[in-house]
Amino acid sequence: MYVVRPVDRADIGALEAMAAISMPGVHTLPRTREGIVAAVERSLASFAAQIDIPSEESYLFVLEDLRSREVVGTAIIHASAGSNGTYFAFRNDVIQQVSRDLNISHSVHALTLCSELTAYSQLSGFFLRHRDSAGIEAALLSRARLLYAMLAPHRFGDRFFVPLAGRLDSDGQSPFWNALGRKFFKMDFLEAERLIEGARNRTLIVELMPHYPVYVPLLPGDAQAALGQIHPGGQMAFDLLAQEGFEADEYIDIFDGGPILQAHKNALRSFCASHKLRVGAGPAHAPAHAPDIGPVDYAVASVDNGFRAVTVRCAPIEHAHSIDLPREVQQALGVSAGDEVVCVRIQGEPACS
């Protein structure tokens, strides 16, 4: 069984070991001990803070294998992107060019540096140690942070976005970066990522990046082809986010050209398709269902006494008032009969209206 929970100081060693693993397609996790400790302390302070308006809070979750007590994954949600600066992205624009003398009018695809995503809540840092063999726990890890946001809406904004790492070549270089960012930063892609630790709110970005529209047709072919394309290592994250309700929109990452997915909270299944139920006292309280309806996988999270989330396979509970949880699940969540939990289908739930 796996549980998603807030990070603790005791996890720092496990996070250091995880940071030593190659993380293709993940540029939003700290890699040094200093960075990891800072992220953990920031998360602990964020969970403990009394919040009126979302600000600089950052919530770090870990996926723990309860059988081995091993931390095998991480995921982060930031209350407000760019809260200690401005979050920069490229906006896909279409510029109309008109020549009255030549009687010519046409559209040109251009990229414009913008800060419109500043103050949106941001998801980042999704990583699984055993990604290739991951099962339903991957969906649990991705969704749990949004369940927390649903349970504590005052801590987050109404809109969320997720930057996904862009396509790299066989040498780990970004064609998009080499065509654009490298000309201004005078360093290679990985060096630049290490310099800013995956952030997109540093002052040096606006100091170095072009403030004028960048005409896409003037970029090399490989850079144009990489525009809005995700790194193969990010395909799982993309699929999970798409199932949640995120969509690619008009923004791309300023470094590698990867897509930025976004959604209003009312379009996210963790908000609009979740159900609060009481923990039943036993089998007699399990929801009734027709014999021909098979069991369904749910993410189930505790509401009080600290956030925890696990997966449970049971009969459909969308019209039930309680859910019967095995003893080990109750222990993992820290709940007992009569306590409230929130449940949402891992896959296959109806779309939000």
Side-chain angles (χ1 to χ4, degrees):
M1 180 191 298
Y2 294 88
V3 62
V4 174
R5 57 172 176 79
V7 73
D8 192 78
R9 291 186 182 92
D11 300 317
I12 290 174
L15 294 176
E16 277 191 275
M18 199 177 299
I21 302 171
S22 174
M23 298 182 182
V26 180
H27 56 67
T28 51
L29 278 177
R31 303 299 179 94
T32 65
R33 178 175 177 82
E34 293 77 11
I36 291 170
V37 170
V40 171
E41 293 296 337
R42 183 181 176 188
S43 179
L44 292 172
S46 297
F47 278 107
Q50 299 296 318
I51 303 301
D52 294 321
I53 299 175
S55 182
E56 297 185 7
E57 298 80 35
S58 178
Y59 305 89
L60 173 57
F61 296 87
V62 296
L63 176 70
E64 181 182 359
D65 185 341
L66 291 179
R67 293 168 299 179
S68 64
R69 296 295 177 179
E70 180 185 23
V71 171
V72 295
T74 67
I76 303 171
I77 182 169
H78 304 279
S80 182
S83 56
N84 59 345
T86 301
Y87 189 94
F88 295 105
F90 275 134
R91 184 182 62 240
N92 273 307
D93 283 331
V94 176
I95 297 177
Q96 299 294 326
Q97 293 190 319
V98 178
S99 171
R100 292 186 175 87
D101 291 339
L102 298 177
N103 194 27
I104 293 175
S105 174
H106 61 270
S107 303
V108 178
H109 182 191
L111 303 176
T112 305
L113 189 69
C114 72
S115 58
E116 295 162 8
L117 295 176
T118 299
Y120 282 37
S121 292
Q122 177 190 355
L123 278 64
S124 69
F126 178 80
F127 177 72
L128 285 162
R129 173 173 288 185
H130 309 297
R131 185 188 65 216
D132 294 339
S133 59
I136 200 170
E137 70 273 14
L140 174 68
L141 177 61
S142 180
R143 174 158 288 174
R145 52 194 168 170
L146 288 167
L147 283 175
Y148 178 74
M150 186 277 296
L151 291 169
H154 60 288
R155 292 179 177 267
F156 302 93
D158 290 337
R159 299 197 67 88
F160 296 79
F161 77 90
V162 193
L164 294 180
R167 179 184 294 172
L168 305 181
D169 61 23
S170 58
D171 297 323
Q173 294 294 315
S174 164
F176 183 79
W177 172 263
N178 287 340
L180 187 57
R182 186 174 188 141
K183 299 183 184 303
F184 299 95
F185 277 68
K186 304 302 182 183
M187 61 182 67
D188 69 26
F189 173 69
L190 296 179
E191 184 182 359
E193 282 287 19
R194 284 192 294 268
L195 174 67
I196 67 168
E197 297 179 332
R200 296 294 185 264
N201 59 0
R202 298 294 179 84
T203 302
L204 63 87
I205 290 176
V206 75
E207 290 174 343
L208 295 177
M209 280 292 188
H211 292 207
Y212 46 83
V214 176
Y215 283 20
V216 173
L218 298 181
L219 297 176
D222 59 348
Q224 293 186 47
L227 201 64
Q229 300 301 306
I230 62 172
H231 189 287
Q235 187 62 50
M236 173 191 289
F238 174 83
D239 292 342
L240 293 171
L241 292 165
Q243 292 168 14
E244 177 68 35
F246 283 92
E247 296 180 345
D249 203 345
E250 58 184 323
Y251 303 99
I252 65 166
D253 186 78
I254 57 175
F255 270 33
D256 57 24
I260 296 177
L261 314 184
Q262 60 172 313
H264 190 279
K265 67 180 183 180
N266 293 338
L268 297 176
R269 287 170 170 81
S270 293
F271 284 83
C272 69
S274 57
H275 306 268
K276 287 186 178 180
L277 302 173
R278 296 288 177 181
V279 177
H285 292 265
H289 62 283
D292 59 339
I293 299 179
V296 178
D297 291 313
Y298 289 91
V300 181
S302 52
V303 173
D304 300 312
N305 303 320
F307 180 84
R308 299 287 189 277
V310 300
T311 58
V312 173
R313 190 169 179 81
C314 64
I317 50 83
E318 275 72 18
H319 302 291
H321 298 289
S322 64
I323 181 171
D324 189 45
L325 299 177
R327 183 174 301 277
E328 62 270 21
V329 172
Q330 293 187 34
Q331 291 175 343
L333 292 175
V335 300
S336 56
D339 288 340
E340 195 173 46
V341 294
V342 61
C343 310
V344 63
R345 286 198 190 195
I346 291 289
Q347 293 177 333
E349 66 267 32
C352 297
S353 59

